[in-house]
C-alpha cells in the first residue's frame, strides 16, 4: 500500500471521527459557536500534519514540517488560508495526497494538481535539503520543477 493511500485513509479517519461535531453546525466565520470548534479543527490539523510528515518518510522530517506549514499558511488546495471548517481541511488534506504522490515518484501528470507557487516552494525546499534526499527522488522532483517553470 502506497504512502498516499495510507495518508488518504488517515485523513478520512481523522475528519470523520473529529469533524462530526463541526460538520453538524454551519460555520461561516461569523457564528459565535465557531470558538468551540477551533480546538477541534486545530487538533485535526495537527493529526493531518503528523500523517503528512509520516507519509513523507522518504524525506527529511524538517522538510516535511516546513512544507506542511506552507500549505497551512497558503491554504493551497483548500480555497482558504484561514481553515475553519472540516471540509476546508479535508480539501487541503486531499491536496497533500497529490504532493505525496509526487514524493512517491507517481505524480499524476494528466491531472497536474500542483500550481507554480507550490513548485517553487518544493524546488526551494528540495534545494535546501538536497544532500539528505535520495538522488533518484531529487532528480524526479527537480525534473518536474523545471518543466513547471519553478526555476524562472
Amino acid at each position: 500500500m502506497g504512502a498516499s493511500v495510507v495518508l488518504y485513509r488517515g485523513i478520512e479517519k481523522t475528519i470523520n471521527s473529529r469533524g462530526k461535531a463541526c460538520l453538524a453546525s454551519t460555520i461561516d466565520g461569523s457564528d459565535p459557536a465557531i470558538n468551540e470548534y477551533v480546538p477541534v479543527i486545530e487538533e485535526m490539523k495537527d493529526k493531518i500534519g503528523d500523517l503528512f510528515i509520516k507519509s513523507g518518510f522518504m524525506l527529511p522530517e524538517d522538510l516535511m514540517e516546513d512544507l506542511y506549514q506552507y500549505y497551512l499558511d497558503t491554504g493551497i488546495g483548500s480555497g482558504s488560508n484561514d481553515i475553519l471548517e472540516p471540509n476546508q481541511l479535508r480539501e487541503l488534506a486531499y491536496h497533500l495526497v497529490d504532493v505525496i504522490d509526487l514524493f512517491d515518484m507517481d505524480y499524476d501528470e494528466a491531472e497536474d494538481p500542483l500550481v507554480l507557487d507550490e513548485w517553487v516552494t518544493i524546488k526551494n525546499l528540495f534545494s535546501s535539503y538536497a544532500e539528505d534526499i535520495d538522488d533518484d527522488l531529487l532528480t524526479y522532483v527537480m525534473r518536474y520543477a523545471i518543466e513547471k517553470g519553478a526555476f524562472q
Side-chain angles (χ1 to χ4, degrees), residues 86-148:
N87 286 334
Q88 291 171 319
L89 186 56
R90 176 180 275 133
E91 288 179 31
L92 171 67
Y94 287 164
H95 191 72
L96 296 176
V97 172
D98 295 326
V99 176
I100 292 299
D101 282 342
L102 173 67
F103 300 158
D104 272 344
M105 298 193 322
D106 191 25
Y107 184 68
D108 186 351
E109 196 164 352
E111 287 292 317
D112 198 18
L114 305 184
V115 298
L116 179 59
D117 189 61
E118 292 172 274
W119 285 112
V120 170
T121 299
I122 291 168
K123 181 256 314 178
N124 290 341
L125 286 170
F126 268 62
S127 294
S128 296
Y129 291 94
E131 62 188 44
D132 299 320
I133 300 172
D134 175 77
D135 288 341
D136 290 337
L137 177 56
L138 183 63
T139 301
Y140 181 86
V141 170
M142 290 302 196
R143 178 178 57 88
Y144 274 108
I146 290 167
E147 285 179 18
K148 303 303 178 184

Side-chain angles (χ1 to χ4, degrees), residues 43-63:
E43 182 182 319
M44 289 190 305
K45 285 179 187 178
D46 291 345
K47 177 66 176 167
I48 289 170
D50 290 343
L51 291 166
F52 178 67
I53 291 163
K54 289 176 185 169
S55 295
F57 64 88
M58 69 293 289
L59 293 167
E61 188 173 323
D62 289 344
L63 182 153

